[in-house]
Amino acid sequence: MTVGQRIAQKRKELGLSQEALGDKLGVSRQSIYKWESDSALPEVEKLITLSKLFGVSVGWLLGVEEPVPAPANSGELTETQLKMVEEIVSRYLSAQPKPDPQRQRRFFRRGAVVFAALFCACFFAIFSLFQRLDRMDQQYNNLQNSVNNVQSSVNSQINGISSRVEEILKSQNDLTAEYGTESVHTTRTNTILFSVYAVPKTYVDGMSVEFSVENGTGGSSVVQGTPGFNQKYSGELSCQLTDSIDLSVVFIYPDGTRQTQLLEHYDSLYSESLPGVDLETHHLMYMETPDGSAVLKDIYFSTRTTYGKYPGNYGDSITPPEVKDIRVGLFKNKRLLAWAEPCEKPDSFHGFEDRKFYRLPDMTVTLTASDQLEVAALVTDTYGRQFVVQDIPYVLDEDAQNLTWPDNFDTDTDPAHWQFN
């Protein structure tokens, strides 16, 4: 198992959702998701907290040590063996001469003195050894801290130098002395309006300015910049809201020369405007799949929703997007197998008060080594936009005997890539 799979296993054994585990650790649900999908590793202090919470060692979480299996033979003697030992001891003792009481007492006194001396010597030797080990451990920790401090200082200096060099190079290559961009508001039709301005570093009489926007899907528009005080050109332009938007300025000189500079790149504006849906699958991980067949019975899914947030200062003219409809289903290679029906929270679930539950119809699914079993939700928001929320998929393990997570996977939020019939 990977580190993420071990964390997910222990979390589900405790009956915790990803969000609940995040609350205990003081991190977001997205952080838990990244850990469990092996796209990120927990920090050292979080690993220590996880090990205490789960009752396992850090080494087990990291996969560098395994639980010690119980020996096949505990070392205890059978009843027959005990009887044989008793018989041997009895015969040996009966063959020995009767001991002399005075000699025996002298022997025991001498033995007690020798034993006490040996005990004291061993005690002080062990005590001295532990003291030396403690000092060595402290010296190692101090050395490790010193190395970490030096490494952190060096990294900080390198990052500072890199940032400074990048700023110098950027300022040397900039065509603008000053510029600014701002998302003004977004409409219900997913059109976003930007306000932009730019001041040319080198102003030439008779020059003009254009502002352009591209949204990564072929949509673009251009507006003429309006000149203002101190050679400041400004304008407003709009485009369809997407997750990749570039705003640029074009300086046009009297001789027809055109020079372009990227002003700002906006990332994930569309995704961040969608309402959030947290989808979680229960009781599928490590399910037995003899001959690649998974018998799905009493399988539940749960969701939790949040508001979306449109970029810009739209005030009361538009309300934040909300979830209007959500359908949760089981898919095989992105093809629908069955929709899950909304239901009450099962009695076996504790907590999860802010989540809605769905029950999958009982069924049997046959998988091959190349198949993926996916739990996904088709979500429609109050502005008619549809998108897919996908939980971590499941695949057969190497022996085709259990469901597990793949080593890596890509989420796909585009409904056009899924089959819902």
Side-chain angles (χ1 to χ4, degrees):
M1 287 191 296
T2 64
V3 175
Q5 291 171 347
R6 291 170 187 263
I7 294 174
Q9 174 188 343
K10 290 299 180 181
R11 172 180 64 80
K12 293 186 178 182
E13 287 178 1
L14 295 178
L16 296 173
S17 66
Q18 291 178 332
E19 182 181 10
L21 179 58
D23 291 340
K24 289 181 177 293
L25 299 176
V27 299
S28 65
R29 185 258 177 190
Q30 288 77 9
S31 295
I32 304 298
Y33 170 81
K34 289 180 180 179
W35 296 350
E36 294 186 355
S37 60
D38 291 308
S39 59
L41 276 175
E43 296 176 351
V44 174
E45 61 268 20
K46 300 301 180 187
L47 278 171
I48 295 173
T49 305
L50 283 170
S51 70
K52 293 179 180 178
L53 178 64
F54 293 155
V56 297
S57 67
V58 174
W60 184 88
L61 285 174
L62 295 175
V64 297
E65 64 181 63
E66 297 293 339
V68 179
N73 188 347
S74 63
E76 296 182 358
L77 299 177
T78 65
E79 185 175 351
T80 302
Q81 291 171 330
L82 284 172
K83 289 181 179 180
M84 292 175 63
V85 171
E86 290 175 357
E87 179 66 21
I88 293 170
V89 171
S90 177
R91 292 183 181 183
Y92 173 80
L93 292 177
S94 62
Q96 298 300 311
K98 298 295 181 178
D100 180 2
Q102 292 184 354
R103 183 179 181 183
Q104 194 175 44
R105 284 194 294 270
R106 287 195 301 271
F107 173 78
F108 278 115
R109 282 198 297 269
R110 293 172 183 174
V113 172
V114 172
F115 175 78
L118 288 175
F119 176 80
C120 291
C122 290
F123 175 80
F124 285 111
I126 293 173
F127 181 75
S128 176
L129 176 61
F130 273 106
Q131 281 188 322
R132 292 183 62 187
L133 288 175
D134 285 341
R135 287 196 296 271
M136 291 175 64
D137 186 58
Q138 184 63 41
Q139 290 173 357
Y140 172 79
N141 290 334
N142 292 338
L143 178 61
Q144 186 67 37
N145 290 334
S146 299
V147 171
N148 290 337
N149 291 335
V150 171
Q151 184 177 7
S152 176
S153 176
V154 171
N155 289 339
S156 177
Q157 294 179 33
I158 291 175
N159 292 334
I161 294 172
S162 299
S163 300
R164 182 57 182 159
V165 170
E166 184 177 350
E167 290 176 1
I168 293 173
L169 292 176
K170 185 176 183 299
S171 65
Q172 290 176 346
N173 295 323
D174 274 354
L175 303 174
T176 58
E178 181 185 356
Y179 71 87
T181 69
E182 180 184 9
S183 58
V184 182
H185 70 264
T186 309
T187 68
R188 292 180 175 85
T189 58
N190 270 340
T191 299
I192 183 169
L193 178 66
F194 292 96
S195 174
V196 296
Y197 75 88
V199 178
K201 181 181 291 186
T202 303
Y203 176 77
V204 178
D205 287 336
M207 72 184 307
S208 60
V209 172
E210 292 178 351
F211 295 104
S212 65
V213 59
E214 296 182 357
N215 66 1
T217 61
S220 63
S221 63
V222 178
V223 297
Q224 193 73 24
T226 302
F229 181 70
N230 284 342
Q231 292 85 47
K232 179 178 180 180
Y233 291 81
S234 60
E236 289 188 345
L237 65 170
S238 62
C239 69
Q240 196 73 16
L241 183 62
T242 68
D243 278 337
S244 180
I245 297 177
D246 291 329
L247 297 174
S248 301
V249 62
V250 182
F251 295 108
I252 307 172
Y253 296 92
D255 61 357
T257 302
R258 300 171 64 92
Q259 291 186 314
T260 304
Q261 178 182 321
L262 176 67
L263 298 181
E264 196 70 60
H265 171 76
Y266 287 90
D267 190 33
S268 302
L269 289 182
Y270 175 77
S271 295
E272 291 172 356
S273 74
L274 298 171
V277 176
D278 177 23
L279 172 64
E280 188 160 354
T281 307
H282 305 278
H283 304 146
L284 279 183
M285 190 66 171
Y286 307 121
M287 174 178 286
E288 294 183 357
T289 55
D291 301 322
S293 296
V295 179
L296 307 181
K297 184 177 177 61
D298 295 329
I299 300 299
Y300 295 91
F301 313 130
S302 65
T303 62
R304 185 178 66 88
T305 61
T306 57
Y307 287 97
K309 183 179 180 180
Y310 273 136
N313 302 315
Y314 46 83
D316 297 331
S317 62
I318 183 171
T319 57
E322 301 179 51
V323 171
K324 180 180 180 182
D325 180 65
I326 180 169
R327 301 192 70 185
V328 181
L330 183 69
F331 297 78
K332 178 180 175 181
N333 303 325
K334 298 186 180 179
R335 181 188 294 271
L336 178 68
L337 296 178
W339 290 112
E341 295 297 328
C343 65
E344 297 295 326
K345 184 182 74 171
D347 294 336
S348 58
F349 285 78
H350 302 288
F352 301 95
E353 302 300 336
D354 59 344
R355 304 183 75 87
K356 293 182 179 179
F357 279 82
Y358 306 79
R359 187 184 187 279
L360 184 71
D362 295 343
M363 63 174 65
T364 300
V365 179
T366 301
L367 301 172
T368 66
S370 61
D371 290 330
Q372 281 197 345
L373 195 63
E374 301 120 342
V375 177
L378 177 63
V379 183
T380 306
D381 72 2
T382 47
Y383 296 109
R385 301 179 298 176
Q386 285 192 321
F387 57 97
V388 173
V389 175
Q390 178 185 352
D391 198 7
I392 304 174
Y394 297 88
V395 296
L396 295 176
D397 63 10
E398 294 181 356
D399 300 324
Q401 297 299 309
N402 296 91
L403 291 181
T404 186
W405 285 339
D407 293 334
N408 53 72
F409 74 97
D410 295 320
T411 57
D412 191 344
T413 62
D414 190 348
H417 299 160
W418 296 74
Q419 297 185 41
F420 301 101
N421 298 322

